Structures are given as C-alpha cells and as structure tokens.
Amino acid sequence: MGYPGKNHKSYQTPKRPFEKTRIEEETRLAIEYGLRNKREVWKAQSHLRKYRKAARELLALMSSSKDQAIFDAKKTELISHMQRAGLLGPDADIDNVLALKVPAHLERRLQTLVYRKGLARSPKQARQLVTHGHIAIAGRRVTIPGYLVTRAEEAGITYDGKSPFVDTAHAERTRITKPAGPGAGVN
C-alpha cells in the first residue's frame, strides 16, 4: 500500500518498446483522436484490460461455480455498467466485453464527442476547447479532455454559458462545420 493521496500510474507501458506495427497503430490512433501522447492510448488499453479481466473471471466462475444465480448477478452488473458507460450496446454479452478494442474506449472521451457533435473543427481543437473551459456537460464545465462521458450525459454536451462560443456570430464558431460521421474529416 502506498500513500493514498499520491497519484499512481494508471497504465502499463508496452513490453516491447520498439515494435514497429504497435508504434504505427498507436500513432494512427493518437492522430485520429487528437491525443496528447501515446500514454493516453496506453491508459485506454489498461482500462479495457480491467474489463476483460473481469469478464474472464466471470467465465471461470461460471465453469467452476455451482450457483448460477451469483454468476448471472455479476454478469448483469458488469454488462449494465459498461452499457451505462456507452462501451456496449443494448443486447451485449460477455463475448462483446472480450471483443472490445481501444477505439471503442476513445470514442467515449469528451474530446472525441465534442468533435463528433460538431462543436469543434478538429480533434485537436476539441481538446483545446475542453482544456480552456469552453465545454460543459449539463451546465457543468468540464476541463478534462479524457473524461469518459456516459450515455446519459452525452446529450448534455454544449458550450459553457460563460464561453464566447455561445454567441453564434463568433468568428471561430462560424468556421466550424459538423463532420459527416465517425472518422470523417480527420486530419
């Protein structure tokens, strides 16, 4: 155990630091989603790794447990948690948890959703708008680009009331056009 007030690393670095295909894939994701560095990709991988571990433990519990009710309760809890987070669809199962990929997690970040909703011209600008306090969720300003937005909060993403972007005649806002779909207009 350590000092509880100290922040601890929330990711694992790659075991092979100079693997060409992994580096290219991480670079592609960092550019596509406007990430600050590859550490954010590693955080997403670690986050999904925890969900996959829980799913594997559930499958092991199912094969060794005599009580089906405990398995069903834990399975329902895990899947409903991931559905609320927006990582899984309405008719998901344990296999869907195991099949999750990093882009599914990156799509739930506030920075990405701001760009997808057309509030910014690029993922990098979306990151800047969030960091500078121009974006609010349900009237509450959020300044963390990596904030994971739940399905319930997704509809409440707008410009903050005190932001100059609220004015539709703002010079930068007139240049912003809504992207056609996921991955569209990515530089």
Side-chain angles (χ1 to χ4, degrees):
M1 185 99 176
Y3 178 66
K6 180 172 170 44
N7 292 332
H8 297 282
K9 201 162 77 166
S10 59
Y11 61 92
Q12 290 179 343
T13 56
K15 290 181 182 178
R16 295 187 183 119
F18 301 110
E19 190 176 20
K20 183 178 179 182
T21 57
R22 180 194 52 78
I23 291 172
E24 289 171 350
E25 177 64 18
E26 288 174 354
T27 303
R28 187 189 63 77
L29 287 172
I31 291 170
E32 181 179 346
Y33 291 99
L35 305 178
R36 181 172 159 234
N37 51 34
K38 291 180 184 171
R39 189 179 311 134
E40 294 185 350
V41 175
W42 299 339
K43 285 181 184 181
Q45 289 171 341
S46 294
H47 199 243
L48 292 179
R49 192 176 298 124
K50 290 176 187 175
Y51 285 129
R52 282 193 218 104
K53 181 180 178 187
R56 285 193 309 272
E57 288 173 355
L58 274 175
L59 290 174
L61 177 71
M62 179 183 75
S63 63
S64 67
S65 177
K66 286 128 180 109
D67 193 5
Q68 186 68 20
I70 294 173
F71 168 74
D72 289 338
K74 289 186 177 186
K75 175 182 151 188
T76 305
E77 181 182 351
L78 174 67
I79 291 177
S80 64
H81 170 76
M82 294 183 74
Q83 286 172 339
R84 282 192 307 274
L87 293 171
L88 292 178
D91 56 345
D93 199 13
I94 294 287
D95 295 331
N96 298 97
V97 176
L98 295 171
L100 278 176
K101 301 289 181 202
V102 174
H105 183 271
L106 296 176
E107 284 290 332
R108 300 306 309 166
R109 291 168 46 98
L110 178 60
Q111 171 185 352
T112 305
L113 290 173
V114 166
Y115 172 63
R116 298 282 189 246
K117 286 188 80 156
L119 300 176
R121 284 189 289 158
S122 68
K124 290 280 190 182
Q125 186 186 32
R127 182 180 192 89
Q128 184 180 31
L129 291 176
V130 172
T131 304
H132 290 199
H134 294 290
I135 303 296
I137 298 176
R140 182 180 54 113
R141 184 175 20 192
V142 181
T143 59
I144 303 166
Y147 176 79
L148 293 178
V149 180
T150 63
R151 289 233 192 262
E153 295 173 331
E154 190 173 353
I157 298 174
T158 58
Y159 292 114
D160 185 45
K162 296 179 181 177
S163 170
F165 284 90
V166 171
D167 182 19
T168 56
H170 188 277
E172 185 64 28
R173 189 162 172 197
T174 56
R175 292 181 171 155
I176 297 172
T177 59
K178 189 169 184 173
V186 176
N187 298 358

